[in-house]
Amino acid sequence: MVAAVAANCVIGVDIGGTKMLVGVVDESLGVLHRIQQPTADADTNELLDRLASMVDEAVEAAPGEVLGVGFGVAGILDAKAGMIAAAPHLPLVGVPFEALMGERLGVPVAVDNDGNTSMLAEWLHGAAKGVSDAVMLTVGTGIGGGIVANGGLVRGSSGGGAEFGHMVIEQDGEQCSCGGHGHFEWYASGDAIGRAGERLAGRNPASALAAAAVEGREVTGALVTELAHDGDAASIEAIVEVGKRLGQGMVSITNIFNPELIVVGGGAIAAGDLLLGPAREIVEREALASLGANVSIVPAEFGADAGVIGAAVLAFEQMAQA
Amino acid sequence: MVAAVAANCVIGVDIGGTKMLVGVVDESLGVLHRIQQPTADADTNELLDRLASMVDEAVEAAPGEVLGVGFGVAGILDAKAGMIAAAPHLPLVGVPFEALMGERLGVPVAVDNDGNTSMLAEWLHGAAKGVSDAVMLTVGTGIGGGIVANGGLVRGSSGGGAEFGHMVIEQDGEQCSCGGHGHFEWYASGDAIGRAGERLAGRNPASALAAAAVEGREVTGALVTELAHDGDAASIEAIVEVGKRLGQGMVSITNIFNPELIVVGGGAIAAGDLLLGPAREIVEREALASLGANVSIVPAEFGADAGVIGAAVLAFEQMAQA
């Protein structure tokens, strides 16, 4: 039994702006071994070296042969140029990542945007299994995502899709970290929950949220979510507000894609139906009736390990096609 | 030579809110014969009868055998239920259109949304020929559209995509004809050009636009476009304003789809680069750099006959797959 499981492993690597997470993943998508390191302060070569040594360590820890390595990167790929075109928090812009990591590791390597790997994992093995038209939103610091249409992952002409966080939902609105204006992730991300929480703490001095702020705790999306689950009205209001904004973006997604499913992952999904409830109400009220009636809005199945598992699924897929 | 052309014809039918246009179309997409009738004031059966007799007339006028009939409908299809789910200006909601027309005509029938048929025609034979990832916007009274991704037309889970006109680009914005709020077509359609023109005529009493309004001419998108081409500054300003709004929607499209091409058709494209120039500037400035650099914004190749030709291309496609 152990031998059978051990026969097919891959390494999944989740490269985020603050940390890198490497996992040994078997075919049933169990994560057998985890290695984590901070991303911060590394230059390009250091980062690549650190990744290579983490992967080597994972390969040694694997209970059998490692078939390949998948990377999910918090950045925009340019598949045509074979490099990472944009990555706000990583020293990887302009880097031919797949080629360089392949050289360093000497095993087959697959690379994609982390929104796409999350969509792939949910579609092949999670909440969107068997669905031919679905959209994934990963709601965290920003908003990433992926698209399945006609039973295939949609990556765009140069592999740079699907940046749902950078949809315009407010003309001439607030400036986004990317330089654009009025983007979805400003209004509907985990960070947006934190910002709404700060504002509502100020307006509700008797709230648990205001008390936490006075104690010197940073008002983050995670804190607001925690206090909302404890019943704090101001915290709940902050999440409902952001849930409605999330719903407005989902109206666009519903009317454009006519998806069967919108899957919501990322850190903000810890708020559960406090966040998804208001989003569902907006879609029901504001989307084109015949399309809104055909869409379900559901939480992702893969939680904290979604990044590693998504990258592993990418590796399994690439090996299967090779 | 004539016999060879005559051997393969289809009938293309464009069903809009104000008129129905039927054409005999050969394989080189020449429109050999046209029949037009108003849509207005017909109930469902009258409309179906009128369509059937127009098609019969076209079949008789065709120089050879008619392989099939394609319909492009200004409405939202529900392919799963086999009916038209929504059609604001047509008595066809809930009607199993394909089945009923197939019965009446006794020839193979294909039905799709007119945005999808336009995309299909541009993709297989027009501005997007050979492109694997493209988006079409048909900018007229409203905004329709279509998507090609991974080298295939994306119609969504129930065939109701791709309603780009009903993307939210202004949270809590103006109410759309569909009941939703802040939708793209309110700000960036041909009708939006007319509305901007009315406002700017009021502010610029010395303009040709104001003079036309005083003469009692209705300030439509077409009038504004005509006067803009004649050099009227107020009319140009109206089109530039709407072109910028069009560009903001295209920022969303670029960031979501990473398309190689955005093709713009519909009546409003008569404004040409007066409209597309400002849209291109916004995309260049506001889209994610690596995605904005990879997209071209171009006018559709099929003009006034786009509806009939799109429906004909749909029919040819369906026959080829049958």
Side-chain angles (χ1 to χ4, degrees):
Chain A
M1 195 62 182
V2 171
V5 169
N8 285 312
C9 279
V10 297
I11 310 295
V13 185
D14 177 19
I15 310 179
T18 53
K19 66 175 194 288
M20 301 178 284
L21 195 57
V22 175
V24 179
V25 181
D26 65 23
E27 277 197 314
S28 64
L29 301 187
V31 181
L32 307 178
H33 187 85
R34 286 177 185 79
I35 306 162
Q36 185 173 323
Q37 281 199 25
T39 310
D41 301 328
D43 68 19
T44 305
N45 272 321
E46 281 166 5
L47 195 75
L48 295 174
D49 287 344
R50 213 179 282 177
L51 281 166
S53 74
M54 289 167 80
V55 170
D56 285 341
E57 188 187 329
V59 168
E60 299 219 348
E65 199 197 348
V66 169
L67 300 177
V69 185
F71 293 87
V73 182
I76 301 175
L77 270 69
D78 187 335
K80 281 185 179 164
M83 63 169 201
I84 294 173
H89 307 291
L90 295 169
L92 293 175
V93 177
V95 171
F97 185 83
E98 185 172 338
L100 291 181
M101 285 310 299
E103 269 176 33
R104 270 177 169 75
L105 296 172
V107 293
V109 162
V111 185
D112 207 341
N113 167 269
D114 54 3
N116 288 339
T117 60
S118 295
M119 176 83 264
L120 197 64
E122 294 292 335
W123 174 46
L124 294 175
H125 305 282
K129 195 170 175 176
V131 167
S132 66
D133 295 87
V135 167
M136 167 110 207
L137 295 177
T138 55
V139 184
T141 308
I143 298 181
I147 304 162
V148 168
N150 292 341
L153 199 71
V154 172
R155 292 182 167 99
S157 65
S158 60
E163 294 293 338
F164 284 105
H166 303 277
M167 293 195 293
V168 176
I169 65 164
E170 181 81 3
Q171 301 176 119
D172 314 322
E174 300 283 346
Q175 186 160 26
C176 179
S177 63
C178 77
H181 290 81
H183 288 185
F184 188 34
E185 69 177 33
W186 178 266
Y187 301 94
S189 60
D191 278 12
I193 296 177
R195 281 191 293 271
E198 261 181 29
R199 203 174 59 249
L200 286 159
R203 277 197 221 150
N204 299 276
S207 65
L209 196 54
V214 167
E215 280 169 28
R217 294 181 69 183
E218 197 191 346
V219 179
T220 60
L223 175 66
V224 174
T225 300
E226 180 194 321
L227 295 176
H229 282 309
D230 291 345
D232 179 56
S235 299
I236 292 172
E237 192 181 338
I239 293 177
V240 167
E241 191 182 288
V242 171
K244 286 181 180 172
R245 297 313 187 192
L246 190 63
Q248 287 173 317
M250 289 177 177
V251 167
S252 294
I253 290 169
T254 300
N255 290 345
I256 294 172
F257 289 98
N258 177 209
E260 192 172 330
L261 220 56
I262 301 176
V263 181
V264 184
I269 196 61
D273 280 345
L274 284 177
L275 186 71
L276 296 190
R280 288 189 189 107
E281 274 173 37
I282 293 286
V283 170
E284 200 169 320
R285 197 174 72 211
E286 295 273 322
L288 292 164
S290 60
L291 306 185
N294 274 316
V295 68
S296 299
I297 296 163
V298 301
E301 278 189 20
F302 298 110
D305 278 328
V308 165
I309 290 174
V313 170
L314 176 72
F316 278 123
E317 276 303 289
Q318 187 127 329
M319 305 313 125
Q321 282 165 22
Chain B
M1 196 62 182
V2 171
V5 171
N8 286 311
C9 279
V10 298
I11 310 294
V13 185
D14 177 20
I15 310 179
T18 54
K19 65 174 193 287
M20 302 177 283
L21 196 56
V22 175
V24 180
V25 180
D26 64 23
E27 277 197 315
S28 64
L29 303 185
V31 182
L32 307 177
H33 188 85
R34 288 177 185 78
I35 306 162
Q36 184 174 324
Q37 280 199 27
T39 310
D41 301 328
D43 67 19
T44 305
N45 273 321
E46 281 166 4
L47 195 74
L48 295 174
D49 288 344
R50 213 180 281 178
L51 280 167
S53 75
M54 289 166 80
V55 170
D56 285 342
E57 189 186 329
V59 169
E60 299 219 348
E65 199 198 347
V66 169
L67 300 177
V69 184
F71 293 85
V73 182
I76 301 174
L77 269 68
D78 187 335
K80 281 186 179 163
M83 62 169 202
I84 294 173
H89 308 291
L90 295 168
L92 293 176
V93 177
V95 171
F97 184 83
E98 185 171 338
L100 292 181
M101 285 310 299
E103 268 175 34
R104 270 178 169 76
L105 296 172
V107 292
V109 162
V111 185
D112 207 341
N113 167 269
D114 53 4
N116 288 339
T117 60
S118 295
M119 175 82 266
L120 197 65
E122 293 292 336
W123 173 46
L124 295 175
H125 306 281
K129 194 169 175 177
V131 168
S132 67
D133 294 87
V135 167
M136 168 110 206
L137 295 175
T138 56
V139 184
T141 308
I143 298 180
I147 303 162
V148 168
N150 293 342
L153 200 71
V154 172
R155 291 182 167 100
S157 65
S158 60
E163 293 293 338
F164 284 105
H166 303 278
M167 293 193 294
V168 177
I169 64 164
E170 181 81 1
Q171 300 176 120
D172 314 322
E174 299 283 346
Q175 186 161 27
C176 179
S177 62
C178 77
H181 290 81
H183 288 185
F184 188 35
E185 70 177 34
W186 177 266
Y187 300 94
S189 61
D191 278 13
I193 296 176
R195 282 192 292 271
E198 260 180 28
R199 202 174 58 249
L200 286 159
R203 277 196 221 151
N204 298 277
S207 66
L209 196 55
V214 167
E215 279 168 28
R217 293 182 70 182
E218 195 191 348
V219 179
T220 61
L223 175 66
V224 173
T225 299
E226 180 195 321
L227 296 176
H229 282 309
D230 291 345
D232 178 56
S235 300
I236 292 172
E237 191 181 338
I239 293 177
V240 167
E241 189 182 288
V242 171
K244 287 181 181 171
R245 296 314 188 193
L246 191 62
Q248 287 174 317
M250 288 178 178
V251 167
S252 295
I253 289 169
T254 300
N255 290 345
I256 295 172
F257 289 98
N258 177 208
E260 191 173 331
L261 221 56
I262 300 176
V263 182
V264 184
I269 197 59
D273 281 344
L274 284 177
L275 185 71
L276 296 190
R280 288 189 189 107
E281 274 173 38
I282 293 287
V283 170
E284 199 168 319
R285 198 175 71 213
E286 295 273 321
L288 292 164
S290 61
L291 306 184
N294 274 316
V295 68
S296 299
I297 295 163
V298 301
E301 278 190 20
F302 298 109
D305 278 328
V308 165
I309 291 174
V313 171
L314 176 73
F316 276 123
E317 276 303 289
Q318 187 126 328
M319 305 312 125
Q321 282 165 23

